[in-house]
Amino acid sequence: MVDSIICTNKSGDTDVVIVSTPYEKTASSRKGTINGPKSVMHMLDSKLELFDRNYKVQICDKIKIAHKDLGK
């Protein structure tokens, strides 16, 4: 059973690369947007269905997905 949408760490060997960059320079009313990319990746891993019921396959068996965090 696959428990994460991220299938590989090699960005050159993937079909999809999710790029995240925490950025808080233009937050005008409240701070906290810097934690957004980490929260999105957590939700992708915990709330996304990783099994395609129509085709009866795991998504990561067909599509290689990597994550690249660009940092601050």
Side-chain angles (χ1 to χ4, degrees):
M1 181 174 134
V2 178
D3 60 352
S4 177
I5 191 168
I6 307 304
C7 304
T8 183
N9 292 328
K10 300 175 186 175
S11 60
D13 193 27
T14 62
D15 300 312
V16 177
V17 177
I18 299 172
V19 179
S20 62
T21 304
Y23 186 72
E24 198 165 60
K25 286 278 190 191
T26 59
S28 57
S29 58
R30 292 178 46 184
K31 299 294 181 183
T33 57
I34 200 164
N35 298 322
K38 182 172 64 172
S39 297
V40 168
M41 291 307 298
H42 174 70
M43 293 305 292
L44 282 175
D45 281 342
S46 63
K47 302 295 182 194
L48 188 68
E49 181 69 43
L50 298 173
F51 183 75
D52 189 326
R53 294 178 184 178
N54 292 331
Y55 296 105
K56 309 234 183 323
V57 295
Q58 291 285 348
I59 293 171
C60 288
D61 290 343
K62 300 293 179 182
I63 301 171
K64 299 298 178 197
I65 303 171
H67 174 238
K68 177 71 174 169
D69 186 4
L70 297 180
K72 295 182 179 181

